[in-house]
Every structure is written in structure tokens, then in C-alpha cells.
């Protein structure tokens, strides 16, 4: 069995718990990625701007998420990723302390802040070593695209954005490691 075959069951359950169809959300993440072009950074930034225009996140959260993306897309190594992850974790703590924070922004930053690059020797780490780009770029785009797709599919219900962001992050993580 391939290491990546078993991820869909729990992710489908998570999506279904929010009333979102996993296959439709996955298609929405890919559609958004394809619509916005091959430049992951521009696609991420446009997804965040669309979230702000739709009212899912505030302007302050938009600026913070755009800065998170700017730093994330600059990551080129595992050492650079560790610095980025510390930044993301500090941002997550700040957002958690804000009683007016949107759940969508919390989900996006939370998924990114808790992402861990596999370090065990094995097939996945060899794949990462050969990759020209760091997988955090896929995660950023997956989380933002998933949040936007989840919001659209759920009629802009914040729970749809949260679950969509988490599912989009999982889809992107598995895609970048397999």
C-alpha cells in the first residue's frame, strides 16, 4: 500500500461533518489553483484577498495572512522553514488572544503553524530533498484555496471556511509529499 492512500477517509469525514463534500472541495481547490495560474504566491494572495472581500477575514487579518504568505514563499530550506514556523506559531498565539479574530484566519494560521516537515530517513524525505521548492508553498495555497472553496460551498458559513482550510491543507500536504 502506498503511504498516501489512507489519508482520504478521515478527511472525508471531517468535510462531511461540516456539510461539505470532499470531492467537490478538492475539485474547488484545484479549480481555484488552475484559474489563478501556476504562480502559487499570486494564487495564495488572490485567495486571501477574496476571503477579505467576502468578509470572512478582517483587513488586519488580511495583512497578517499576506505577510505570512510572503515569508512562507521565501522559504527554500528546512532551516528557513523552522524560522518561518516559529513566526507562524507566534502569529497564531497573537490571533488566539484576539477575541474578535475570525475562525477562518485562525484555521489558516493554525494549519500552517502546526505543519511539520518529515525528518525520518525514507521515501518522503528523499522526495523533499529532490524537490526544487519547499512544500510549505503548497500548504499555504491549499489552506487558502480550501478556506475560500469551503466558504463558497457552504454559503459563506465560517465553519465551511474552517473545515475547507483544514481539508485544503491536508490535500496540499499529501500532494506535496507523495
Amino acid at each position: 500500500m502506498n503511504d498516501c492512500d489512507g489519508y482520504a477517509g478521515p478527511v472525508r469525514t471531517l468535510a462531511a461533518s461540516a456539510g461539505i463534500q470532499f470531492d467537490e472541495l478538492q475539485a474547488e481547490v484545484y479549480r481555484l489553483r488552475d484559474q489563478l495560474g501556476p504562480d502559487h504566491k499570486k494564487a495564495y494572495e488572490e485567495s486571501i484577498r477574496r476571503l477579505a472581500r467576502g468578509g470572512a477575514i478582517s483587513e488586519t487579518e488580511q495583512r497578517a495572512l499576506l505577510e505570512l504568505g510572503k515569508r512562507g514563499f521565501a522559504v527554500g530550506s528546512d532551516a528557513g522553514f523552522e524560522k518561518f514556523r516559529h513566526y507562524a506559531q507566534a502569529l497564531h498565539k497573537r490571533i488566539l488572544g484576539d477575541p474578535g479574530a475570525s475562525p477562518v484566519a485562525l484555521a489558516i494560521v493554525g494549519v500552517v503553524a502546526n505543519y511539520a516537515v518529515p525528518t525520518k530517513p525514507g521515501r518522503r524525505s528523499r522526495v523533499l530533498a529532490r524537490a526544487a521548492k519547499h512544500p510549505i508553498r503548497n500548504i499555504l495555497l491549499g489552506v487558502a484555496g480550501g478556506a475560500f472553496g469551503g466558504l463558497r460551498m457552504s454559503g459563506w458559513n465560517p465553519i465551511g471556511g474552517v473545515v475547507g482550510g483544514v481539508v485544503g491543507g491536508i490535500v496540499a500536504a499529501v500532494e506535496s509529499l507523495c
Side-chain angles (χ1 to χ4, degrees), residues 55-138:
I57 59 175
S58 68
E59 286 187 32
T60 304
E61 291 168 334
Q62 176 187 355
R63 284 191 300 275
L65 290 171
L66 290 174
E67 179 62 26
L68 181 73
K70 179 180 171 186
R71 290 175 183 238
F73 282 98
V75 169
S77 67
D78 286 348
F81 171 70
E82 285 305 316
K83 288 173 63 176
F84 168 73
R85 186 164 59 168
H86 290 300
Y87 170 78
Q89 289 170 341
L91 177 61
H92 190 236
K93 283 183 182 177
R94 282 196 309 270
I95 291 176
L96 277 172
D98 179 6
S102 78
V104 176
L106 276 169
I108 291 171
V109 176
V111 169
V112 173
N114 291 297
Y115 177 70
V117 175
T119 55
K120 288 184 190 176
R123 189 177 79 75
R124 288 185 193 162
S125 60
R126 285 192 300 273
V127 170
L128 286 177
R130 286 183 288 183
K133 296 179 180 175
H134 199 277
I136 194 62
R137 298 167 189 200
N138 293 335

Side-chain angles (χ1 to χ4, degrees), residues 161-178:
V162 169
V163 174
V166 172
V167 171
I170 294 168
V171 169
V174 170
E175 185 178 274
S176 68
L177 295 176
C178 296

